[in-house]
């Protein structure tokens, strides 16, 4: 696990849009930080810069004690979960969960142990032999999260992971995410435009507008002001 520190981070896209403007933020070790704000406020851009999927135009990002500005995503020891799941359709749930570990040439027995643990945590044990097409949306999103968990990364980065689910499922997945975070305690950065999601999930919530940080505080202090 590790903290994530953004120091005076800017992102200017080709064409001149300043998507992120002088962002200073520390996500503490083990913290669940939600980045929230209206569409276009720069939250995905901020997350993608932490992941290394987007170059930064100015400032510095550190994960643990390493400045990662010039590190490719695969060397950042993070796992990312997206709204579109990105599962391999031709592989079973078990194979999807194991795939990243196989690539890293982890011994089979260790892979199997991690896959079983993740499946148990996510309630996927009875679906291990199924392919994604035979799963519900919620189950697919659990598999996507399982793939992040098995890698045991220093941090989870999630970009609107529940936004393709219906309202009822979103509520149950929020509860699952809370439980998962309590059990694993992995530093998490979670992007959403949904205030309720921010409030139920975040240890702290960072509110962005037009690429500028407006407030960072606990949900209680932000949303239940007197
Ligand atoms: P959010 O995730 O809060 O919806 P984004 O980070 O996706 O916001 O976008 C922030 C701003 O940057 C928006 O004005 C958006 O149009 C712009 N933007 C995002 N991606 C690109 C890109 N690849 N090229 C140019 N502008 C972009
Ligand atoms: P759906 O079938 O509508 O997609 P869910 O994705 O919410 O429903 O749940 C899929 C299965 O996982 C259900 O059998 C549910 O009881 C079980 N489940 C849901 N949350 C958890 C959890 N946190 N831990 C273990 N099992 C769970």
């Amino acid at each position: 696990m590790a903290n994530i520190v953004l120091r005076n981070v800017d992102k200017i896209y080709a064409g001149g849009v300043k998507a992120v403007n002088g962002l200073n933020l520390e996500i503490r070790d083990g913290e669940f930080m939600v980045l929230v704000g209206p569409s276009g406020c720069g939250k995905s851009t901020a997350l993608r810069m932490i992941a290394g999927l987007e170059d930064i135009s100015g400032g510095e990002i550190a994960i643990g004690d390493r400045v990662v500005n010039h590190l490719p995503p695969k060397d950042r020891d993070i796992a990312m979960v997206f709204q579109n799941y990105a599962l391999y359709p031709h592989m079973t749930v078990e194979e999807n969960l194991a795939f990243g570990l196989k690539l890293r040439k982890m011994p089979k027995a260790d892979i199997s142990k991690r896959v079983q643990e993740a499946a148990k945590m996510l309630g996927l044990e009875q679906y291990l032999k199924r392919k994604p097409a035979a799963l519900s949306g919620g189950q697919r999103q659990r598999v996507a999260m399982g793939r992040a968990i098995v890698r045991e990364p220093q941090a989870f980065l999630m970009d609107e992971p529940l936004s393709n689910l219906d309202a009822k499922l979103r509520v149950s997945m929020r509860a699952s995410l809370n439980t998962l975070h309590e059990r694993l305690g992995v530093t998490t950065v979670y992007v959403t435009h949904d205030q309720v999601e921010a409030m139920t999930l975040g240890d702290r919530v960072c509110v962005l507008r037009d690429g500028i940080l407006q407030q960072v505080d606990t949900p209680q202090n932000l949303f239940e002001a007197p």
Side-chain angles (χ1 to χ4, degrees):
M1 281 202 293
N3 65 342
I4 299 171
V5 182
L6 289 80
R7 292 188 196 93
N8 213 16
V9 170
D10 293 322
K11 176 66 187 187
I12 303 166
Y13 282 111
V17 176
K18 196 153 196 181
V20 172
N21 191 347
L23 181 58
N24 285 294
L25 182 65
E26 179 184 1
I27 300 126
R28 297 168 190 147
D29 197 358
E31 184 170 41
F32 199 120
M33 174 70 81
V34 179
L35 306 184
V36 73
S39 176
C41 72
K43 41 194 199 302
S44 280
T45 300
L47 193 78
R48 291 170 59 80
M49 287 192 288
I50 297 170
L53 299 172
E54 205 68 73
D55 287 335
I56 84 175
S57 311
E60 191 172 89
I61 297 179
I63 302 177
D65 49 17
R66 283 193 308 176
V67 172
V68 297
N69 286 25
H70 302 293
L71 275 187
K74 67 175 175 53
D75 295 334
R76 294 187 181 203
D77 198 11
I78 45 107
M80 195 137 174
V81 180
F82 302 94
Q83 59 179 271
N84 58 6
Y85 323 131
L87 302 180
Y88 299 106
H90 57 290
M91 293 185 195
T92 64
V93 168
E94 189 169 28
E95 289 161 348
N96 266 283
L97 292 174
F99 186 69
L101 303 180
K102 270 191 191 151
L103 276 188
R104 290 195 282 163
K105 309 227 179 339
M106 181 179 280
K108 267 191 181 159
D110 297 343
I111 294 179
S112 168
K113 184 161 170 271
R114 285 200 190 182
V115 166
Q116 294 302 326
E117 278 171 5
K120 193 169 171 203
M121 236 182 274
L122 290 160
L124 288 169
E125 292 136 303
Q126 65 270 49
Y127 307 112
L128 284 172
K129 301 298 177 197
R130 285 201 199 170
K131 291 192 176 164
L135 299 175
S136 70
Q139 290 160 351
R140 280 180 215 162
Q141 193 49 281
R142 284 173 203 284
V143 178
M145 287 178 186
R147 284 206 315 198
I149 289 172
V150 292
R151 292 176 46 196
E152 300 184 358
Q154 293 199 79
F156 292 140
L157 307 179
M158 304 198 204
D159 194 347
E160 306 257 7
L162 308 188
S163 62
N164 277 344
L165 305 178
D166 65 40
K168 185 165 156 267
L169 251 184
R170 274 206 299 279
V171 172
S172 83
M173 284 299 292
R174 285 208 293 264
S176 299
L177 272 171
N178 269 331
T179 310
L180 259 188
H181 186 68
E182 270 169 31
R183 278 200 225 162
L184 299 174
V186 178
T187 310
T188 302
V189 190
Y190 186 102
V191 161
T192 182
H193 64 274
D194 181 337
Q195 285 210 2
V196 176
E197 217 163 280
M199 200 161 76
T200 32
L201 286 172
D203 291 323
R204 285 191 301 157
V205 175
C206 168
V207 183
L208 293 171
R209 192 166 300 262
D210 296 333
I212 297 172
L213 188 153
Q214 304 290 307
Q215 285 174 295
V216 195
D217 211 332
T218 60
Q220 289 72 24
N221 289 343
L222 281 177
F223 297 110
E224 291 164 23

